[in-house]
Amino acid sequence: MVLMVLPLIGSVSVSEVLVALTTACLVYLMVRYFYTEIPAGLRRLPGPTPLPIIGNVLEIGRRPYLSLTAMSKRYGDVFQIQIGTRPVIVLSGIETVRQALVKQGEEFSSRPDLYSFRFINEGKSLSFSTDQAGVWRARRKLAYNALRSFSTLQGTTPEYSCMLEEHICKEGEYLVNRLSSVLQADGRFEPFPHIVVSVANVICGMCFGRRYDHDDQELVSLVNLSNEFGKVVSSGNPADFIPALRFLLSSTMKSFVDLNTRFTTFVQKIVNEHYATFDKENIRDITDSLIDHCEDRKLDENSNIQVSDEKIVGIVNDLFGAGFDTVSTALSWSIMYLVTYPDVQERLYQELKSNVDQNRKPRLSDKPNLPLLEAFILELFRHSSFLPFTIPHCTSKDTSLNGYFIPKDTCVFINQWQINHDPEQWEDPSSFNPDRFLSADGTEVNKAEGEKVTTFGMGKRRCIGEIIARNEVYLFLAILIQRLQFLPIPGETVDMTPEYGLTMKHKDCRLKARMRTRDEQ
Ligand code: HEM
């Protein structure tokens, strides 16, 4: 057969072959599109017309949160795009997203099988893998309970209300001292690299019962790779959908695989140390409690969900990974906003000064007395929407939403950025204004407005670290604002344009800061 075709190819040009191939792909896609049977009473999804082979990649561009928000204005809250040849549903609008993730949560809570996800935690990640529903639910429950136990555990001295508070207060103090010495030496600093070590130490404390020095190269080099990780696993990365790109972008994929291997090796070493020194009577941290659970589970003959020891202890990998990058990104953006809005920074400082005695550090219990700080954090989450999409979801069976038919195994993007900038929900959404969350006299936070901010997802896959994350952002910020005034470098502008990724980072930026004096405090 091949021998019969070869002479024919010899008589046509390369461009003719390409045209023929493109036409064949187009016909195939059109046939597939029009022959997807739509059940009676349901409609076909609207969306932009895809190009052969690449789909809508060009229209999606480098900032999918903006392009897909613009498309939602044209096609509505539920529409379909195509990345490569794979259809993807994009959901916008708070009510539509709530309908899908909460009311129809069973159908919209799986994860798609995406190429890059296979390399995370050796394909066994709780957050990214395609575990069947029973397995991820069991792992999620274990992870949630472990986090709750080790954050609410009593502190080592009565000074602290719980272990989480103790870790944050201690790391906050180290961070202030670190920034102070960097400022003395260089006169300027970059926020993310210092913050990320402090935040990583809080989750390391809970997961591994240990902390690392700010100069520990093993930890520092690992946590500073989170940006590279986020770029590859972001929603809409074409390499996840178009196999040819995996080879064209092979160096990016290779460094992604390398960084995942480094990450897993780092955690595995600590896990092995825990196995070697494990004592059932002395559960030291989350890793120990997961090891303990493996032993207990073997006694539970009635359990019908089989989860391997590897998948149980591997949960700590997810908790560590999810626990440092997100919170550090939130704090780093906070500093950028404080510098960009100095009047807000001054009001926050004055609020702290009036409500927290100058001779002590802020505590979790001060939160109700600091409504402006709470409003600032809500506005930071809303305005930056630094997690513009949740981790991609996938339908577990044929379903429908808002009258549109959605087949089983369809990849679903949830556009959190759109919800947080929807002009139907927010007055002047593009302006940064913490006061939008405060009562007219500034003494109370409007809870209903606050709940509209969508940062942690919704429903069955909602972030399990939300309470810890909110407490960390609040307490680290309170400690920093009490002790330092953040300033731009004279003559330099602060660029607030985000760089797209799973968590969007601000551009590298050097800032100044001034230690507050005791009198001033
Ligand atoms: C400001 C900080 C944080 C933000 C904005 C955030 C946001 C999110 C979002 C949007 C998701 C995906 C939800 C979905 O797919 O629908 C998620 C999942 C997750 N988060 Fe967070 N997160 C934060 C901090 C944390 C922390 C501190 C931890 C753990 C200590 C954590 C652990 C997880 C885990 C394990 C998942 C996966 C849940 C699952 O797939 O079922 N997160 N987070």
Side-chain angles (χ1 to χ4, degrees):
M1 176 69 185
V2 175
L3 288 177
M4 282 163 67
V5 172
L6 274 178
L8 294 176
I9 289 181
S11 64
V12 291
S13 69
V14 174
S15 53
E16 280 169 323
V17 172
L18 280 177
V19 169
L21 277 176
T22 310
T23 313
C25 286
L26 201 59
V27 170
Y28 165 74
L29 289 173
M30 282 172 67
V31 167
R32 218 178 67 165
Y33 180 78
F34 287 110
Y35 282 81
T36 302
E37 217 171 285
I38 306 290
L42 294 179
R43 289 172 291 166
R44 193 180 294 282
L45 285 153
T49 310
L51 289 172
I53 303 167
I54 58 169
N56 301 108
V57 165
L58 298 179
E59 288 144 288
I60 297 167
R62 287 173 172 271
R63 295 202 186 143
Y65 57 103
L66 295 182
S67 56
L68 297 180
T69 297
M71 283 185 206
S72 75
K73 288 188 187 135
R74 182 158 174 208
Y75 299 109
D77 281 356
V78 189
F79 66 94
Q80 177 174 306
I81 51 169
Q82 203 167 284
I83 310 183
T85 54
R86 187 164 176 176
V88 174
I89 310 296
V90 183
L91 302 186
S92 316
I94 192 161
E95 286 314 325
T96 297
V97 170
R98 190 169 288 138
Q99 175 67 34
L101 299 190
V102 181
K103 298 191 185 138
Q104 295 176 231
E106 287 296 333
E107 294 133 55
F108 281 92
S109 300
S110 300
R111 296 286 186 217
D113 177 16
L114 295 184
Y115 180 69
S116 59
F117 290 9
R118 297 177 202 164
F119 300 103
I120 306 170
N121 197 357
E122 295 173 333
K124 295 189 217 66
S125 160
L126 154 69
S127 324
F128 294 91
S129 80
T130 53
D131 274 343
Q132 65 180 76
V135 173
W136 70 252
R137 256 191 232 117
R139 295 179 84 199
R140 196 180 143 92
K141 196 168 154 203
L142 260 178
Y144 180 80
N145 289 340
L147 269 183
R148 204 186 42 190
S149 316
F150 281 89
S151 53
T152 55
L153 201 72
Q154 237 178 6
T156 53
T157 66
E159 191 188 341
Y160 302 106
S161 66
C162 61
M163 214 55 209
L164 179 67
E165 183 175 72
E166 178 164 351
H167 285 307
I168 307 171
C169 284
K170 288 182 172 168
E171 292 306 327
E173 190 63 26
Y174 284 121
L175 179 59
V176 169
N177 293 338
R178 175 75 180 184
L179 293 180
S180 160
S181 55
V182 171
L183 287 164
Q184 265 173 19
D186 302 340
R188 50 184 62 194
F189 74 103
E190 236 182 272
F192 190 83
H194 303 288
I195 288 172
V196 73
V197 179
S198 304
V199 173
N201 271 333
V202 173
I203 193 74
C204 277
M206 289 191 289
C207 287
F208 310 131
R210 60 177 295 184
R211 69 176 301 277
Y212 293 81
D213 192 78
H214 277 254
D215 294 315
D216 185 299
Q217 277 320 304
E218 196 189 6
L219 182 86
V220 169
S221 61
L222 196 68
V223 292
N224 276 298
L225 288 174
S226 60
N227 203 9
E228 304 313 310
F229 177 86
K231 278 184 188 160
V232 175
V233 297
S234 59
S235 290
N237 173 12
D240 271 334
F241 299 86
I242 307 174
L245 290 181
R246 290 166 207 166
F247 303 105
L248 290 175
L249 305 172
S250 62
S251 63
T252 314
M253 282 317 293
K254 189 179 171 311
S255 43
F256 178 73
V257 174
D258 285 351
L259 83 86
N260 277 288
T261 309
R262 277 183 61 188
F263 196 85
T264 313
T265 312
F266 175 86
V267 176
Q268 196 54 51
K269 196 173 123 203
I270 303 176
V271 167
N272 291 344
E273 285 164 12
H274 274 68
Y275 267 113
T277 54
F278 180 73
D279 171 6
K280 200 172 172 43
E281 301 307 316
N282 176 26
I283 302 298
R284 298 160 291 185
D285 46 40
I286 290 180
T287 309
D288 269 357
S289 84
L290 293 171
I291 294 174
D292 190 38
H293 185 84
C294 295
E295 295 206 336
D296 279 355
R297 187 182 49 93
K298 284 182 189 131
L299 304 174
D300 179 10
E301 299 296 330
N302 298 326
S303 171
N304 53 4
I305 298 290
Q306 287 304 312
V307 186
S308 66
D309 287 7
E310 244 185 328
K311 278 203 173 180
I312 291 176
V313 182
I315 289 173
V316 78
N317 205 316
D318 279 84
L319 295 180
F320 176 47
F324 76 81
D325 179 56
T326 45
V327 175
S328 315
T329 308
L331 285 168
S332 200
W333 273 114
S334 301
I335 295 192
M336 300 290 279
Y337 280 99
L338 292 176
V339 170
T340 308
Y341 299 91
D343 49 330
V344 176
Q345 182 173 187
E346 186 54 28
R347 283 174 59 202
L348 286 165
Y349 173 65
Q350 292 303 333
E351 181 183 70
L352 266 163
K353 199 173 148 184
S354 322
N355 291 286
V356 179
D357 190 287
Q358 58 171 329
N359 295 316
R360 70 167 177 89
K361 288 187 207 77
R363 288 285 188 259
L364 291 176
S365 55
D366 293 314
K367 211 177 187 180
N369 303 324
L370 302 171
L372 181 61
L373 183 53
E374 197 179 337
F376 173 82
I377 294 169
L378 286 169
E379 184 65 341
L380 159 84
F381 285 156
R382 186 199 70 81
H383 191 264
S384 71
S385 289
F386 67 87
L387 239 142
F389 296 93
T390 66
I391 300 169
H393 287 231
C394 179
T395 47
S396 53
K397 58 179 192 180
D398 283 358
T399 184
S400 67
L401 186 64
N402 293 6
Y404 294 108
F405 174 64
I406 305 176
K408 181 177 188 266
D409 289 334
T410 306
C411 181
V412 181
F413 290 173
I414 311 290
N415 192 347
Q416 301 201 119
W417 196 94
Q418 187 281 337
I419 296 175
N420 292 333
H421 291 82
D422 187 347
E424 306 257 313
Q425 297 288 334
W426 307 100
E427 203 184 310
D428 193 8
S430 61
S431 68
F432 181 80
N433 175 20
D435 290 304
R436 69 171 78 239
F437 293 105
L438 290 177
S439 57
D441 64 358
T443 57
E444 267 175 61
V445 174
N446 182 333
K447 297 282 173 213
E449 280 295 286
E451 274 163 23
K452 279 170 26 189
V453 179
T454 306
T455 308
F456 295 92
M458 286 182 205
K460 296 188 184 304
R461 286 286 187 164
R462 190 180 180 115
C463 174
I464 57 168
E466 177 173 353
I467 297 174
I468 292 176
R470 286 187 192 273
N471 281 332
E472 277 195 76
V473 174
Y474 151 75
L475 197 47
F476 267 117
L477 259 184
I479 293 169
L480 288 171
I481 295 169
Q482 190 193 46
R483 304 282 294 280
L484 290 144
Q485 181 185 19
F486 297 100
L487 301 156
I489 293 176
E492 288 186 18
T493 48
V494 175
D495 187 348
M496 299 289 276
T497 319
E499 293 187 335
Y500 182 64
L502 177 66
T503 51
M504 298 203 287
K505 305 285 190 288
H506 56 77
K507 298 210 169 75
D508 288 349
C509 175
R510 288 183 181 273
L511 299 169
K512 274 167 73 89
R514 181 178 75 80
M515 298 298 291
R516 300 269 188 191
T517 60
R518 272 270 157 215
D519 296 345
E520 202 183 349
Q521 283 178 32

